[in-house]
Amino acid sequence: MASDNSSNLTLVTVTVGTPPQDQVVILDTGSSDLYFDSSSAATCQGDGPNSCRGGTFDSSKSSTYKVVAEAPAFDTAFGDGSTASGPFAEDTIGIGDVSIAGVEFGVADKVNSTT
C-alpha cells in the first residue's frame, strides 16, 4: 500500500538570484541537494497537477547566476518515481532577511513529477 506523505511536508519560501525570485521548496532532511525547477522545463510550462507549483527559476533574469557544472551534473530521483536533472549552478539564496552569495544548487531543466 502506497502512503501519501503530502500532509507531512515542510514548505519554506526562499529567494534565488539577483534580483530575487521567490521559490517554495520542500525542507527535506533526506535529500542531499537543494534544487529549483527551471522555468524552461517542459513540465513547468503547464498548470496541471504535476506542474512546478513551487515556482520556477529563470536563470537568464539573474545577474549573479553562474553554471559550475553543465547538465546532467545534477541528477536525482525520489521514491515516488519523480526525477529531476540539469546543471549545478551557484547564485545568491535568501531566507527571510538573510542572503548568502555563492550557494551551489541544482537547476532542474528536465523534470518528471508524479505528485
Side-chain angles (χ1 to χ4, degrees):
M1 175 179 196
S3 93
D4 177 6
N5 291 324
S6 61
S7 62
N8 297 324
L9 298 176
T10 300
L11 303 175
V12 178
T13 301
V14 301
T15 60
V16 59
T18 306
Q21 299 174 43
D22 289 338
Q23 305 288 307
V24 176
V25 297
I26 299 170
L27 184 61
D28 181 0
T29 58
S31 294
S32 60
D33 298 309
L34 171 64
Y35 80 92
F36 301 103
D37 293 327
S38 172
S39 61
S40 66
T43 302
C44 301
Q45 302 305 311
D47 59 357
N50 297 340
S51 66
C52 306
R53 294 176 289 178
T56 60
F57 174 56
D58 186 343
S59 60
S60 71
K61 293 183 178 178
S62 175
S63 63
T64 50
Y65 176 80
K66 177 180 152 188
V67 173
V68 295
E70 295 291 336
F74 168 70
D75 191 4
T76 191
F78 299 95
D80 68 355
S82 296
T83 61
S85 66
F88 270 113
E90 70 177 39
D91 210 331
T92 301
I93 303 293
I95 302 173
D97 294 336
V98 176
S99 291
I100 305 167
V103 175
E104 190 172 301
F105 54 88
V107 180
D109 55 18
K110 291 189 173 87
V111 178
N112 175 25
S113 178
T114 63
T115 58

